[in-house]
Amino acid sequence: MSTDGRMPPRVRIAPSPTGDPHVGTAYIALFNYAFARRHGGKFVLRIEDTDQQRYTEGSEHAILESLRWLGLSWDEGPDVGGEHGPYRQSERLELYREHVAPLVASGKAYRCFCTRERLDALRKEQMAAKARLGYDGHCRSLDPQQAEARVQAGEAYVVRLHVPEGKTVVTDRLRGDVEFANEQIDDQVLVKSDGFPTYHLANVVDDHCMGITHVIRGEEWLSSTPKHVLLYEAFGWEQPQWIHLGLLRNADKSKLSKRKNPVSIIHYRSLGYLPATFLNFLATLGFSMGDDRERFSLQEMIDAFEWSKVSVGGPVFDPVKLDAFNADDIRALPLPELQAQIAEHVLGSDRIAALLALSHERIERLDDFIPYVSFFFGGVVDYSTVLPKLKIKRTLAEAAKILATFVDEIERDPQGRAFTPQSLEAFSRAFCERHEWKARDLFTLLRVGAAGRTAAPPLFDTLALVGKDRFRMRIRDFIGVLKTQPKPAKG
Ligand code: GLU
């Protein structure tokens, strides 16, 4: 079947490997997938890894694994190949260079030699004058020959898009025409001084070269789309159709964030949500079957898929609803199937080898195994019995505060983020020095918060195995408990 009598659609998701795979990526992938499958089109997976500073080792693998777990299979991608590869932007750098040269030659883009100092000074001036922040077009009218001579002389430069006067209209399938005044659009950097393309350039070149017909992505990219429309115009290319889905939100309507909800797909997998249930839950956030039915399969969604059934109003990611869906689906499983699923979840996971190694020397009977490792499973833990045993030389209010700082800083630190026993230890010791906390006190809090026990296997092995998301969730919960305790702890 075709859309609008045209060729079958080609759609894509283009995640950046900058951390754990986000549930927002799964949400966008689901809608791309359903649309492609509905119309016999192709679903492409492209890795946008040109931002070397934010690149996280292992993230690409985790993204692919998570989408595989959900059963959202792609037709072309870095692992399966395809006619339009390579599917990693870092392997396509030559292509971006080739494309930017004619833009510079025709004056639609230009080289900018402004130094960091000049840009900083400009910014300060604009802030003082309460003017719009952005590039002032200083290098726009440089003589091309002079610019070339400066390049030859080795001067550092970026390439910027020359944004013309007027306005730019983004025609969005779900939102209608969205108009942007061009004076609000910065002369966007297309190529950075290190020669790497920016997101905007690489994204547009790739979508065009990969024959993408519909760009289906999150609302957070809508403000970038006028820049992309201008780039399509500068290149003289036909635009894809634009579809910006609503941004997932916490219950309080703020943007879904890990401060309030676990946002990593890995977390939901490790807690034992069923992948089909998880997809059904995600689908209900922005799609309706046209009747009151909330429970439907992926295939049913595909068969019924139409844009008129997709809504963009702030979809709320409600964990209570997810739990209810999952409980229903577990209840509906025949017992042998449930047994197989639990066996797979417990014994088939990568964690089992590590759990065995950890308990090997510490259990006396086989039967001790389950109680010994029980806190590695499940969500939040009960702190009521352990709190009276908590001995630290700080007040509980200080404890709550330092833990909040810990979960905040761990994400921003490469060692913290890596979350292996070694990196956790290095991060935590440095953290103690930085904040002048005794390691003993902080480590006690981490152990109690993460495990709900005062004695647990070696701390950093424990934290790594509890896992980053479960750790964050429990510490957040523990902070809440600490804050509501009446008495300070005695050392
Ligand atoms: N690399 C962007 C991301 O991380 C892609 C956005 C888009 O779909 O254009 O989500």
Side-chain angles (χ1 to χ4, degrees):
M1 205 189 301
S2 70
T3 49
D4 314 323
R6 294 194 215 166
M7 298 289 284
R10 287 179 56 80
V11 298
R12 82 326 184 250
I13 53 162
S16 298
T18 53
D20 290 342
H22 196 281
V23 290
T25 301
Y27 182 71
I28 301 296
L30 169 63
F31 283 78
N32 273 282
Y33 179 90
F35 176 64
R37 293 289 172 263
R38 167 85 175 119
H39 296 287
K42 296 279 186 241
F43 174 46
V44 177
L45 173 59
R46 177 174 78 228
I47 295 291
E48 299 208 326
D49 59 349
T50 57
D51 190 342
Q52 298 294 303
Q53 272 158 16
R54 295 180 58 223
Y55 181 83
T56 317
E57 189 73 41
S59 173
E60 175 185 320
H61 176 76
I63 292 169
L64 268 58
E65 267 301 298
S66 304
L67 294 172
R68 266 190 214 114
W69 171 66
L70 288 168
L72 299 173
S73 53
W74 47 98
D75 305 296
E76 299 168 28
D79 56 334
V80 291
E83 279 173 34
H84 298 76
Y87 292 90
R88 260 180 223 107
Q89 288 188 328
S90 57
E91 295 166 18
R92 300 168 67 83
L93 298 177
E94 195 48 45
L95 184 76
Y96 312 126
R97 257 173 235 138
E98 278 166 21
H99 277 86
V100 104
L103 286 190
V104 173
S106 64
K108 292 188 166 132
Y110 60 93
R111 281 131 170 185
C112 166
F113 299 90
C114 289
T115 58
R116 172 85 356 250
E117 290 73 40
R118 178 174 186 277
L119 295 176
D120 286 346
L122 174 67
R123 196 183 160 80
K124 274 195 194 126
E125 261 172 49
Q126 289 169 337
M127 280 175 28
K130 296 204 165 41
R132 192 185 79 82
L133 303 181
Y135 186 61
D136 61 354
H138 184 74
C139 292
R140 252 191 210 173
S141 46
L142 281 182
D143 174 63
Q145 276 176 352
Q146 274 179 6
E148 185 56 33
R150 289 171 75 171
V151 171
Q152 294 307 328
E155 208 174 318
Y157 67 96
V158 300
V159 178
R160 290 183 185 270
L161 179 66
H162 184 158
V163 175
E165 288 181 358
K167 62 180 190 191
T168 302
V169 177
V170 174
T171 302
D172 183 284
R173 181 89 171 236
L174 299 172
R175 295 160 195 267
D177 284 357
V178 189
E179 219 176 271
F180 297 83
N182 286 7
E183 59 195 26
Q184 300 296 326
I185 306 173
D186 224 20
D187 275 5
Q188 203 58 50
V189 174
L190 302 178
V191 181
K192 295 178 267 187
S193 55
D194 61 4
F196 273 72
T198 57
Y199 155 70
H200 303 290
L201 175 69
N203 186 270
V204 165
V205 168
D206 283 348
D207 281 346
H208 174 75
C209 294
M210 293 182 174
I212 298 303
T213 57
H214 299 69
V215 168
I216 306 165
R217 62 184 167 198
E219 186 181 352
E220 69 271 35
W221 302 102
L222 183 57
S223 60
S224 295
T225 308
K227 297 167 189 168
H228 300 178
V229 168
L230 288 169
L231 264 172
Y232 277 94
E233 285 170 0
F235 281 120
W237 294 337
E238 194 188 336
Q239 291 173 49
Q241 287 201 36
W242 305 107
I243 297 146
H244 293 87
L245 298 172
L247 198 62
L248 298 185
R249 301 193 176 268
N250 299 306
D252 63 6
K253 295 279 178 180
S254 57
K255 179 181 165 195
L256 188 68
S257 67
K258 57 184 153 216
R259 279 169 189 271
K260 300 193 176 142
N261 262 311
V263 292
S264 146
I265 306 171
I266 295 170
H267 172 77
Y268 294 92
R269 179 182 189 170
S270 77
L271 247 56
Y273 288 95
L274 307 176
T277 312
F278 193 70
L279 278 184
N280 177 199
F281 165 72
L282 285 181
T284 61
L285 305 187
F287 175 79
S288 101
M289 291 290 279
D291 49 33
D292 292 342
R293 216 158 15 126
E294 285 218 295
R295 304 310 317 270
F296 46 84
S297 68
L298 179 57
Q299 191 56 50
E300 285 169 325
M301 176 180 181
I302 293 168
D303 293 341
F305 196 86
E306 282 169 35
W307 290 115
S308 62
K309 293 176 178 163
V310 176
S311 73
V312 292
V316 173
F317 189 100
D318 176 5
V320 178
K321 178 172 171 181
L322 172 61
D323 281 343
F325 275 24
N326 212 58
D328 274 349
D329 289 351
I330 285 191
R331 236 172 272 138
L333 287 178
L335 284 184
E337 175 63 13
L338 178 62
Q339 183 178 342
Q341 294 253 8
I342 289 183
E344 171 60 27
H345 181 74
V346 178
L347 302 174
S349 82
D350 303 343
R351 288 191 302 162
I352 193 69
L355 291 178
L356 286 170
L358 209 62
S359 44
H360 193 181
E361 312 221 320
R362 297 183 176 86
I363 57 176
E364 289 165 0
R365 295 172 297 264
L366 300 181
D367 211 40
D368 296 337
F369 178 67
I370 297 266
Y372 191 73
V373 300
S374 63
F375 69 89
F376 289 104
F377 296 88
V380 295
V381 294
D382 177 10
Y383 297 108
S384 57
T385 50
V386 73
L387 261 181
K389 291 188 245 158
L390 179 68
K391 297 268 182 284
I392 54 167
K393 292 197 162 51
R394 299 281 189 147
T395 66
L396 295 190
E398 285 174 317
K401 193 151 168 255
I402 199 72
L403 285 174
T405 311
F406 189 89
V407 282
D408 203 39
E409 287 188 11
I410 200 167
E411 260 316 296
R412 292 196 245 120
D413 180 282
Q415 283 191 316
R417 228 179 294 139
F419 224 76
T420 63
Q422 299 75 16
S423 69
L424 277 166
E425 173 155 16
F427 170 80
S428 305
R429 292 200 184 279
F431 180 90
C432 284
E433 283 196 15
R434 203 161 52 244
H435 293 278
E436 298 182 356
W437 262 68
K438 279 207 164 43
R440 198 170 157 271
D441 285 343
L442 181 81
F443 292 1
T444 300
L445 286 175
L446 293 176
R447 177 175 287 111
V448 171
R453 300 185 185 180
T454 47
L459 176 64
F460 299 107
D461 293 302
T462 300
L463 299 188
L465 267 171
V466 161
K468 197 194 291 183
D469 299 284
R470 202 188 315 252
F471 168 76
R472 196 185 297 111
M473 184 169 72
R474 287 183 180 168
I475 295 293
R476 202 172 41 221
D477 191 50
F478 186 44
I479 291 171
V481 171
L482 288 174
K483 281 186 175 164
T484 53
Q485 289 304 303
K487 274 191 291 170
K490 300 236 171 57

mmCIF file of all heavy atoms in Angstrom, residues 12-18 25 28 32 46-49 54 89 199 203-204 207 215-218 220-221 224-225 228 242 244, ligand 1:
data_model
loop_
_atom_site.group_PDB
_atom_site.id
_atom_site.type_symbol
_atom_site.label_atom_id
_atom_site.label_comp_id
_atom_site.label_asym_id
_atom_site.label_seq_id
_atom_site.Cartn_x
_atom_site.Cartn_y
_atom_site.Cartn_z
ATOM 1 N N ARG A 12 12.711 6.987 9.708
ATOM 2 C CA ARG A 12 13.922 6.642 10.464
ATOM 3 C C ARG A 12 13.823 7.121 11.896
ATOM 4 O O ARG A 12 13.070 8.029 12.222
ATOM 5 C CB ARG A 12 15.141 7.226 9.759
ATOM 6 C CG ARG A 12 15.550 8.700 9.967
ATOM 7 C CD ARG A 12 14.520 9.707 10.164
ATOM 8 N NE ARG A 12 14.986 11.059 10.254
ATOM 9 C CZ ARG A 12 14.979 11.807 11.372
ATOM 10 N NH1 ARG A 12 14.512 11.338 12.494
ATOM 11 N NH2 ARG A 12 15.425 13.045 11.364
ATOM 12 N N ILE A 13 14.602 6.490 12.747
ATOM 13 C CA ILE A 13 14.932 7.139 14.002
ATOM 14 C C ILE A 13 16.432 7.366 13.960
ATOM 15 O O ILE A 13 17.173 6.621 13.302
ATOM 16 C CB ILE A 13 14.540 6.352 15.270
ATOM 17 C CG1 ILE A 13 15.085 4.937 15.238
ATOM 18 C CG2 ILE A 13 13.057 6.388 15.508
ATOM 19 C CD1 ILE A 13 15.094 4.315 16.616
ATOM 20 N N ALA A 14 16.855 8.419 14.650
ATOM 21 C CA ALA A 14 18.254 8.833 14.539
ATOM 22 C C ALA A 14 18.829 9.125 15.910
ATOM 23 O O ALA A 14 19.251 10.231 16.198
ATOM 24 C CB ALA A 14 18.331 10.068 13.641
ATOM 25 N N PRO A 15 18.833 8.124 16.800
ATOM 26 C CA PRO A 15 19.298 8.405 18.160
ATOM 27 C C PRO A 15 20.787 8.734 18.213
ATOM 28 O O PRO A 15 21.565 8.257 17.383
ATOM 29 C CB PRO A 15 19.002 7.099 18.916
ATOM 30 C CG PRO A 15 18.903 6.049 17.870
ATOM 31 C CD PRO A 15 18.435 6.725 16.617
ATOM 32 N N SER A 16 21.131 9.538 19.196
ATOM 33 C CA SER A 16 22.540 9.838 19.447
ATOM 34 C C SER A 16 23.000 8.966 20.603
ATOM 35 O O SER A 16 22.311 8.873 21.618
ATOM 36 C CB SER A 16 22.696 11.309 19.825
ATOM 37 O OG SER A 16 22.279 12.109 18.762
ATOM 38 N N PRO A 17 24.157 8.341 20.454
ATOM 39 C CA PRO A 17 24.635 7.435 21.522
ATOM 40 C C PRO A 17 25.265 8.219 22.663
ATOM 41 O O PRO A 17 26.466 8.203 22.855
ATOM 42 C CB PRO A 17 25.650 6.559 20.798
ATOM 43 C CG PRO A 17 26.135 7.399 19.663
ATOM 44 C CD PRO A 17 25.052 8.369 19.307
ATOM 45 N N THR A 18 24.437 8.908 23.425
ATOM 46 C CA THR A 18 24.962 9.797 24.462
ATOM 47 C C THR A 18 24.579 9.349 25.866
ATOM 48 O O THR A 18 24.704 10.109 26.806
ATOM 49 C CB THR A 18 24.435 11.222 24.251
ATOM 50 O OG1 THR A 18 23.010 11.149 24.162
ATOM 51 C CG2 THR A 18 24.970 11.844 22.991
ATOM 52 N N THR A 25 12.904 7.574 23.006
ATOM 53 C CA THR A 25 13.374 6.969 21.758
ATOM 54 C C THR A 25 12.468 5.798 21.372
ATOM 55 O O THR A 25 12.123 5.611 20.207
ATOM 56 C CB THR A 25 14.838 6.483 21.910
ATOM 57 O OG1 THR A 25 15.636 7.616 22.250
ATOM 58 C CG2 THR A 25 15.368 5.851 20.643
ATOM 59 N N ILE A 28 9.141 7.249 19.993
ATOM 60 C CA ILE A 28 9.269 7.747 18.613
ATOM 61 C C ILE A 28 9.457 6.559 17.663
ATOM 62 O O ILE A 28 8.880 6.514 16.578
ATOM 63 C CB ILE A 28 10.457 8.734 18.500
ATOM 64 C CG1 ILE A 28 10.249 9.927 19.442
ATOM 65 C CG2 ILE A 28 10.660 9.193 17.070
ATOM 66 C CD1 ILE A 28 9.058 10.802 19.137
ATOM 67 N N ASN A 32 7.171 5.532 14.307
ATOM 68 C CA ASN A 32 7.807 5.351 12.999
ATOM 69 C C ASN A 32 7.559 3.941 12.476
ATOM 70 O O ASN A 32 7.232 3.739 11.310
ATOM 71 C CB ASN A 32 9.329 5.584 13.120
ATOM 72 C CG ASN A 32 9.719 7.047 12.967
ATOM 73 O OD1 ASN A 32 9.776 7.579 11.860
ATOM 74 N ND2 ASN A 32 9.974 7.706 14.076
ATOM 75 N N ARG A 46 19.450 5.029 12.203
ATOM 76 C CA ARG A 46 20.707 5.738 11.929
ATOM 77 C C ARG A 46 21.273 6.241 13.248
ATOM 78 O O ARG A 46 20.539 6.740 14.095
ATOM 79 C CB ARG A 46 20.422 6.919 11.006
ATOM 80 C CG ARG A 46 21.648 7.759 10.714
ATOM 81 C CD ARG A 46 21.370 8.833 9.686
ATOM 82 N NE ARG A 46 20.660 9.973 10.222
ATOM 83 C CZ ARG A 46 19.588 10.526 9.667
ATOM 84 N NH1 ARG A 46 19.082 10.033 8.551
ATOM 85 N NH2 ARG A 46 19.014 11.575 10.209
ATOM 86 N N ILE A 47 22.563 6.091 13.404
ATOM 87 C CA ILE A 47 23.202 6.532 14.646
ATOM 88 C C ILE A 47 23.857 7.903 14.412
ATOM 89 O O ILE A 47 24.716 8.038 13.543
ATOM 90 C CB ILE A 47 24.256 5.487 15.103
ATOM 91 C CG1 ILE A 47 23.569 4.160 15.478
ATOM 92 C CG2 ILE A 47 25.081 6.009 16.265
ATOM 93 C CD1 ILE A 47 22.708 4.189 16.724
ATOM 94 N N GLU A 48 23.423 8.880 15.178
ATOM 95 C CA GLU A 48 23.945 10.245 15.013
ATOM 96 C C GLU A 48 25.034 10.487 16.060
ATOM 97 O O GLU A 48 24.766 10.941 17.169
ATOM 98 C CB GLU A 48 22.810 11.260 15.113
ATOM 99 C CG GLU A 48 21.781 11.019 14.014
ATOM 100 C CD GLU A 48 21.005 12.252 13.558
ATOM 101 O OE1 GLU A 48 20.734 13.120 14.393
ATOM 102 O OE2 GLU A 48 20.682 12.325 12.360
ATOM 103 N N ASP A 49 26.247 10.140 15.672
ATOM 104 C CA ASP A 49 27.346 10.142 16.638
ATOM 105 C C ASP A 49 28.421 11.167 16.303
ATOM 106 O O ASP A 49 29.601 10.919 16.509
ATOM 107 C CB ASP A 49 27.960 8.733 16.717
ATOM 108 C CG ASP A 49 28.491 8.269 15.371
ATOM 109 O OD1 ASP A 49 28.201 8.934 14.361
ATOM 110 O OD2 ASP A 49 29.213 7.257 15.324
ATOM 111 N N ARG A 54 29.865 14.252 23.684
ATOM 112 C CA ARG A 54 28.781 13.618 24.449
ATOM 113 C C ARG A 54 28.697 12.111 24.179
ATOM 114 O O ARG A 54 27.858 11.427 24.724
ATOM 115 C CB ARG A 54 27.451 14.302 24.134
ATOM 116 C CG ARG A 54 27.427 15.746 24.608
ATOM 117 C CD ARG A 54 26.110 16.422 24.300
ATOM 118 N NE ARG A 54 24.987 15.726 24.890
ATOM 119 C CZ ARG A 54 23.830 15.499 24.259
ATOM 120 N NH1 ARG A 54 23.655 15.923 23.034
ATOM 121 N NH2 ARG A 54 22.861 14.857 24.852
ATOM 122 N N GLN A 89 26.862 8.216 11.479
ATOM 123 C CA GLN A 89 27.308 9.476 10.883
ATOM 124 C C GLN A 89 28.815 9.632 10.900
ATOM 125 O O GLN A 89 29.380 10.231 9.990
ATOM 126 C CB GLN A 89 26.621 10.654 11.584
ATOM 127 C CG GLN A 89 25.150 10.720 11.204
ATOM 128 C CD GLN A 89 24.458 11.967 11.703
ATOM 129 O OE1 GLN A 89 24.817 12.491 12.754
ATOM 130 N NE2 GLN A 89 23.459 12.426 10.974
ATOM 131 N N TYR A 199 24.703 18.726 14.086
ATOM 132 C CA TYR A 199 23.487 17.912 13.962
ATOM 133 C C TYR A 199 22.663 18.344 12.760
ATOM 134 O O TYR A 199 22.207 17.523 11.967
ATOM 135 C CB TYR A 199 22.679 18.033 15.269
ATOM 136 C CG TYR A 199 21.193 17.775 15.102
ATOM 137 C CD1 TYR A 199 20.715 16.492 14.825
ATOM 138 C CD2 TYR A 199 20.278 18.822 15.184
ATOM 139 C CE1 TYR A 199 19.360 16.268 14.657
ATOM 140 C CE2 TYR A 199 18.918 18.600 15.026
ATOM 141 C CZ TYR A 199 18.464 17.325 14.748
ATOM 142 O OH TYR A 199 17.126 17.109 14.568
ATOM 143 N N ASN A 203 22.045 15.765 9.760
ATOM 144 C CA ASN A 203 20.683 15.234 9.810
ATOM 145 C C ASN A 203 19.964 15.450 8.478
ATOM 146 O O ASN A 203 19.335 14.541 7.928
ATOM 147 C CB ASN A 203 19.965 15.941 10.974
ATOM 148 C CG ASN A 203 18.584 15.411 11.255
ATOM 149 O OD1 ASN A 203 17.625 15.899 10.680
ATOM 150 N ND2 ASN A 203 18.480 14.422 12.124
ATOM 151 N N VAL A 204 20.100 16.663 7.926
ATOM 152 C CA VAL A 204 19.404 16.983 6.667
ATOM 153 C C VAL A 204 20.039 16.231 5.488
ATOM 154 O O VAL A 204 19.339 15.627 4.666
ATOM 155 C CB VAL A 204 19.407 18.511 6.440
ATOM 156 C CG1 VAL A 204 19.031 18.855 5.011
ATOM 157 C CG2 VAL A 204 18.456 19.185 7.429
ATOM 158 N N ASP A 207 19.007 12.555 5.855
ATOM 159 C CA ASP A 207 17.603 12.286 5.547
ATOM 160 C C ASP A 207 17.378 12.349 4.034
ATOM 161 O O ASP A 207 16.668 11.520 3.465
ATOM 162 C CB ASP A 207 16.676 13.284 6.275
ATOM 163 C CG ASP A 207 16.491 12.907 7.749
ATOM 164 O OD1 ASP A 207 16.848 11.764 8.109
ATOM 165 O OD2 ASP A 207 15.997 13.742 8.524
ATOM 166 N N VAL A 215 9.724 12.678 8.316
ATOM 167 C CA VAL A 215 10.533 12.811 9.526
ATOM 168 C C VAL A 215 9.565 12.846 10.710
ATOM 169 O O VAL A 215 8.824 13.800 10.897
ATOM 170 C CB VAL A 215 11.407 14.085 9.475
ATOM 171 C CG1 VAL A 215 12.005 14.378 10.848
ATOM 172 C CG2 VAL A 215 12.509 13.920 8.436
ATOM 173 N N ILE A 216 9.563 11.749 11.452
ATOM 174 C CA ILE A 216 8.647 11.613 12.595
ATOM 175 C C ILE A 216 9.513 11.667 13.835
ATOM 176 O O ILE A 216 10.308 10.756 14.083
ATOM 177 C CB ILE A 216 7.894 10.267 12.531
ATOM 178 C CG1 ILE A 216 7.193 10.123 11.181
ATOM 179 C CG2 ILE A 216 6.918 10.143 13.707
ATOM 180 C CD1 ILE A 216 6.730 8.697 10.879
ATOM 181 N N ARG A 217 9.435 12.755 14.582
ATOM 182 C CA ARG A 217 10.314 12.894 15.743
ATOM 183 C C ARG A 217 9.598 13.661 16.829
ATOM 184 O O ARG A 217 8.455 14.075 16.675
ATOM 185 C CB ARG A 217 11.627 13.565 15.338
ATOM 186 C CG ARG A 217 11.462 14.972 14.810
ATOM 187 C CD ARG A 217 12.806 15.532 14.349
ATOM 188 N NE ARG A 217 12.658 16.737 13.557
ATOM 189 C CZ ARG A 217 13.595 17.227 12.767
ATOM 190 N NH1 ARG A 217 14.761 16.617 12.634
ATOM 191 N NH2 ARG A 217 13.395 18.340 12.082
ATOM 192 N N GLY A 218 10.305 13.875 17.939
ATOM 193 C CA GLY A 218 9.691 14.523 19.098
ATOM 194 C C GLY A 218 9.585 16.032 18.910
ATOM 195 O O GLY A 218 10.358 16.648 18.177
ATOM 196 N N GLU A 220 10.532 18.283 20.703
ATOM 197 C CA GLU A 220 11.689 19.096 21.102
ATOM 198 C C GLU A 220 12.545 19.503 19.910
ATOM 199 O O GLU A 220 13.388 20.371 20.013
ATOM 200 C CB GLU A 220 12.529 18.369 22.161
ATOM 201 C CG GLU A 220 13.291 17.136 21.709
ATOM 202 C CD GLU A 220 12.479 15.851 21.830
ATOM 203 O OE1 GLU A 220 11.248 15.897 21.618
ATOM 204 O OE2 GLU A 220 13.080 14.800 22.121
ATOM 205 N N TRP A 221 12.301 18.865 18.759
ATOM 206 C CA TRP A 221 13.084 19.224 17.567
ATOM 207 C C TRP A 221 12.375 20.258 16.699
ATOM 208 O O TRP A 221 12.934 20.730 15.722
ATOM 209 C CB TRP A 221 13.416 17.967 16.735
ATOM 210 C CG TRP A 221 14.172 16.985 17.564
ATOM 211 C CD1 TRP A 221 13.678 15.859 18.159
ATOM 212 C CD2 TRP A 221 15.543 17.069 17.957
ATOM 213 N NE1 TRP A 221 14.645 15.248 18.896
ATOM 214 C CE2 TRP A 221 15.804 15.958 18.785
ATOM 215 C CE3 TRP A 221 16.574 17.972 17.687
ATOM 216 C CZ2 TRP A 221 17.062 15.732 19.351
ATOM 217 C CZ3 TRP A 221 17.825 17.746 18.251
ATOM 218 C CH2 TRP A 221 18.056 16.637 19.076
ATOM 219 N N SER A 224 14.136 23.316 15.712
ATOM 220 C CA SER A 224 15.248 23.133 14.762
ATOM 221 C C SER A 224 14.741 23.010 13.335
ATOM 222 O O SER A 224 15.495 23.208 12.379
ATOM 223 C CB SER A 224 16.025 21.846 15.070
ATOM 224 O OG SER A 224 16.657 21.924 16.309
ATOM 225 N N THR A 225 13.476 22.663 13.188
ATOM 226 C CA THR A 225 12.977 22.331 11.846
ATOM 227 C C THR A 225 13.034 23.504 10.861
ATOM 228 O O THR A 225 13.377 23.290 9.703
ATOM 229 C CB THR A 225 11.580 21.690 11.944
ATOM 230 O OG1 THR A 225 11.668 20.617 12.887
ATOM 231 C CG2 THR A 225 11.130 21.127 10.621
ATOM 232 N N HIS A 228 16.179 23.391 9.256
ATOM 233 C CA HIS A 228 16.261 22.274 8.317
ATOM 234 C C HIS A 228 15.534 22.611 7.020
ATOM 235 O O HIS A 228 16.015 22.313 5.933
ATOM 236 C CB HIS A 228 15.708 20.995 8.961
ATOM 237 C CG HIS A 228 16.456 20.594 10.197
ATOM 238 N ND1 HIS A 228 16.126 19.513 10.974
ATOM 239 C CD2 HIS A 228 17.536 21.162 10.804
ATOM 240 C CE1 HIS A 228 16.970 19.427 11.990
ATOM 241 N NE2 HIS A 228 17.817 20.419 11.913
ATOM 242 N N TRP A 242 6.839 16.603 7.672
ATOM 243 C CA TRP A 242 7.254 16.785 9.078
ATOM 244 C C TRP A 242 6.140 16.352 10.018
ATOM 245 O O TRP A 242 4.991 16.751 9.846
ATOM 246 C CB TRP A 242 7.570 18.257 9.359
ATOM 247 C CG TRP A 242 8.585 18.844 8.443
ATOM 248 C CD1 TRP A 242 8.368 19.739 7.435
ATOM 249 C CD2 TRP A 242 9.992 18.578 8.424
ATOM 250 N NE1 TRP A 242 9.547 20.047 6.801
ATOM 251 C CE2 TRP A 242 10.569 19.344 7.390
ATOM 252 C CE3 TRP A 242 10.842 17.749 9.184
ATOM 253 C CZ2 TRP A 242 11.925 19.329 7.085
ATOM 254 C CZ3 TRP A 242 12.189 17.733 8.881
ATOM 255 C CH2 TRP A 242 12.726 18.510 7.848
ATOM 256 N N HIS A 244 5.810 16.080 14.187
ATOM 257 C CA HIS A 244 6.426 16.203 15.516
ATOM 258 C C HIS A 244 5.446 15.705 16.564
ATOM 259 O O HIS A 244 4.405 16.311 16.790
ATOM 260 C CB HIS A 244 6.829 17.652 15.773
ATOM 261 C CG HIS A 244 7.940 18.126 14.882
ATOM 262 N ND1 HIS A 244 7.728 18.655 13.628
ATOM 263 C CD2 HIS A 244 9.285 18.092 15.046
ATOM 264 C CE1 HIS A 244 8.890 18.953 13.077
ATOM 265 N NE2 HIS A 244 9.858 18.614 13.912
HETATM 266 N N1 GLU B 1 20.009 12.805 16.913
HETATM 267 C C1 GLU B 1 18.714 13.337 17.234
HETATM 268 C C2 GLU B 1 18.293 12.655 18.523
HETATM 269 O O1 GLU B 1 19.153 12.373 19.290
HETATM 270 C C3 GLU B 1 17.750 13.069 16.102
HETATM 271 C C4 GLU B 1 16.560 13.958 16.076
HETATM 272 C C5 GLU B 1 15.797 13.724 14.785
HETATM 273 O O2 GLU B 1 15.052 12.746 14.733
HETATM 274 O O3 GLU B 1 16.009 14.471 13.849
HETATM 275 O O4 GLU B 1 17.167 12.392 18.825
#
